[in-house]
Amino acid sequence: MQVYISIDMEGVGGIATMDQVVRGGHGYPRSQRLMTAEANAAIEGAFEAGADSVLINDSHGTMDNLLHDELDPRARLIFGSPKLDCMAEGIAAEHDVAMFLGYHAAAGSPGVLAHTYSSHFYEVRLNGRPVSEAEVNALQAAAVGVPVGLLTGDDVICGVAEKAFPGVRTVAVKVAHGHTAADSLSPAEARRLIREAAAETVRGAGELAPLPMPETLELEIDMPSTPAAEMGAQIPGVRRIADKTLAATFATPREVLGCVTICYHLAAEAMISRMALFGRR
């Protein structure tokens, strides 16, 4: 039994503010410890239930957040950015089940720190429907035949997962009270529930099925500014369908993730340039 884990930070118990999830914030070091501890809870549960291996992908921001020397040594870790498959880096047909930990709701949703890949994207849509990171990453898992068996995060993204992923287990470690406010379980209780759910997921992995794969994937991204959209439209195959909206049609989730990653960096650069101008006197 081989387990794949993708872990984000915004959906970890005890985390709700920007200061906690951005490197340099006073709360960020504590968030690293909370994130690492939830990873360890899932790893422990997976091995307790008979997993032979666990591969974990650090999927938040610069993707080098987990504290390596505190991570369960039985797991292997992928970290660093950018990565071809972004938050789904490393998932392969050899994996029997995927777990998405610390996930959050989509841009425009009421969840804690909700966004879709970039806090600068106003919305990301696939085939005309707004999507979360979990849904896009689940398609990449499905492309290699891997089902999503566990998702943890706030109540909003857990509700999305329960509708989108047949048979998935969820652990709502907090209830959203706003974009940067939450009612959270204690870290110890969150870890206990995650460990138990991970074990149950591994035991029941054989009953899960990957998501069905659409024939085509029509991606739309609402960029943060006109210049960002202008630059994005230079990507081969990408169309600018509105002042700030880019669109492209892809055959695979990997192509979608590649385009999202490039647009992520274009959006960030555009916003950094704009903020520099705002600071002038």
Side-chain angles (χ1 to χ4, degrees), residues 120-138:
H120 301 312
F121 294 161
Y122 288 108
E123 190 172 78
V124 175
R125 295 175 293 279
L126 269 183
N127 295 339
R129 186 177 64 83
V131 289
S132 66
E133 296 167 0
E135 292 162 282
V136 180
N137 296 334

Side-chain angles (χ1 to χ4, degrees), residues 57-72:
N57 179 38
D58 190 326
S59 298
H60 174 69
T62 53
M63 299 185 176
D64 58 347
N65 310 278
L66 291 168
L67 301 173
H68 297 200
D69 57 348
E70 296 182 15
L71 195 67
D72 190 314

Side-chain angles (χ1 to χ4, degrees), residues 176-212:
H177 278 220
H179 187 72
T180 52
D183 174 352
S184 179
L185 296 175
S186 73
E189 178 65 5
R191 294 166 200 160
R192 182 185 69 81
L193 294 174
I194 290 169
R195 184 179 66 253
E196 292 176 354
E200 293 169 358
T201 298
V202 169
R203 295 187 187 104
E207 302 172 6
L208 298 169
L211 290 181

